[in-house]
Amino acid sequence: MLIAFSVAPTVAADDTGSVSDAVARAIRVVRDSGLPHRTDAMFTTIEGEWEECMAVVKQCCDVLAETSPRVGLVLKADIRPGWTGELDGKLERLEDALGRQQDD
């Protein structure tokens, strides 16, 4: 399965509104998990089995809750049993489709 999620404290650390230090703590959890992952400006996507992915998401929320009275979580999941390597596979199929369309 793939899970794309965004987790952040609802209270910023300073007057700029930045939550980057808090989010960095959550991303450290993702990286330490050993699961395949990709982070962009808005979401982090992880790939694995249901239990291991949800455990990482929960741990990310727990890490932020240590310093914030409230944590926000946005989560989207692609549950497709039997498929692995989809973190890259979906992008490869998209690029192939774009290439075919360009040839038309």
Side-chain angles (χ1 to χ4, degrees):
M1 86 182 308
L2 293 174
I3 293 183
F5 71 103
S6 173
V7 60
T10 57
V11 178
D14 58 33
D15 293 340
T16 68
S18 177
V19 294
S20 59
D21 285 341
V23 171
R25 290 193 303 276
I27 296 304
R28 177 62 47 211
V29 169
V30 171
R31 290 182 178 179
D32 289 348
S33 75
L35 293 178
H37 64 276
R38 184 172 293 129
T39 299
D40 61 37
M42 296 292 292
F43 287 91
T44 293
T45 304
I46 57 178
E47 182 172 17
E49 297 299 319
W50 180 274
E51 292 80 12
E52 60 190 356
C53 287
M54 294 308 287
V56 170
V57 171
K58 181 182 184 319
Q59 190 176 359
C60 288
C61 292
D62 290 347
V63 163
L64 294 187
E66 291 172 1
T67 58
S68 178
R70 195 172 192 179
V71 175
L73 171 66
V74 176
L75 184 142
K76 181 176 181 179
D78 181 2
I79 304 163
R80 196 172 188 191
W83 288 76
T84 60
E86 288 301 278
L87 194 62
D88 294 318
K90 282 185 167 206
L91 294 176
E92 290 166 2
R93 289 190 299 277
L94 174 62
E95 290 298 330
D96 287 346
L98 287 167
R100 287 191 309 274
Q101 290 175 4
Q102 186 175 6
D103 293 342
D104 291 343

